[in-house]
Amino acid sequence: MARYIKVLATALALTGLATADCQLSNQLTDSNPPPEPKAELCQPQGEGQWTFSMDVHGVDVPTFDSGAVWAGLVQGNSFMVYDNACVPKGVYSPGAQGNDCGVPFVIKENFLPFVLTVKSVNFDTGAPRFQFAYANGLFTIGDNQCTCQDVSHDLEAESACKCAFPLQGEPA
């Protein structure tokens, strides 16, 4: 009996060490997309400098139903990876992929030599932010020249965030 309790205790201890990372899948279907026109999401960089971006948006269409004030609210968010010429290489939308299980979000792609891991994120259009790890670097909105801007227009609230990162990782 003591042997079974020891095995059960070990198994329970190991489950606490496991993490449930959400692996995101690339939803980009165009094999030759044009460069990103919004400078708020990407600006061309030097060779080897890529950009990780996030777009969050929401619009509330009036429903004139006092019992369901937010029934017309439509929100969305997505992450993008751009090469140094701002050509999109990957588009990822956690909520649309049925795996919006929370952070960390993991992006593994053949075009990325290292795994990109979104460590924290706030999808609020009023105060968006993210932090991601790539190779030996940690990139955070507000640091490393990573920025977010309000790009709202008409009835749509929208924010665009971007952060350049070295494709081959930081020098050791």
Side-chain angles (χ1 to χ4, degrees):
M1 180 72 162
R3 179 176 159 221
Y4 293 116
I5 292 174
K6 184 178 179 182
V7 169
L8 181 59
T10 302
L12 289 173
L14 289 177
T15 58
L17 299 175
T19 61
D21 296 349
C22 292
Q23 177 139 3
L24 299 180
S25 301
N26 193 342
Q27 295 184 320
L28 184 64
T29 55
D30 188 348
S31 61
N32 192 20
E36 174 60 54
K38 286 185 178 177
E40 296 87 2
L41 287 173
C42 185
Q43 288 184 328
Q45 304 286 325
E47 190 66 34
Q49 289 291 319
W50 284 33
T51 302
F52 181 67
S53 297
M54 177 177 75
D55 183 78
V56 293
H57 59 275
V59 63
D60 190 14
V61 179
T63 60
F64 305 107
D65 181 356
S66 62
V69 224
W70 299 108
L73 182 63
V74 179
Q75 297 178 335
N77 54 62
S78 55
F79 298 112
M80 289 78 61
V81 175
Y82 298 98
D83 69 10
N84 63 306
C86 290
V87 174
K89 295 295 185 182
V91 176
Y92 312 88
S93 183
Q97 293 180 20
N99 64 348
D100 192 5
C101 55
V103 293
F105 292 118
V106 174
I107 297 173
K108 295 179 184 179
E109 294 285 0
N110 291 334
F111 55 79
L112 292 173
F114 303 98
V115 174
L116 191 153
T117 304
V118 178
K119 303 288 230 172
S120 65
V121 65
N122 182 353
F123 291 126
D124 179 3
T125 54
R129 63 185 176 278
F130 61 72
Q131 180 183 65
F132 70 97
Y134 181 78
N136 54 347
L138 186 62
F139 304 87
T140 307
I141 294 298
D143 293 335
N144 316 93
Q145 299 176 350
C146 301
T147 62
C148 289
Q149 289 183 291
D150 181 355
V151 292
S152 300
H153 52 88
D154 300 327
L155 295 176
E156 183 177 26
E158 182 179 10
S159 290
C161 303
K162 67 180 175 194
C163 191
F165 67 95
L167 183 61
Q168 298 302 323
E170 297 284 349

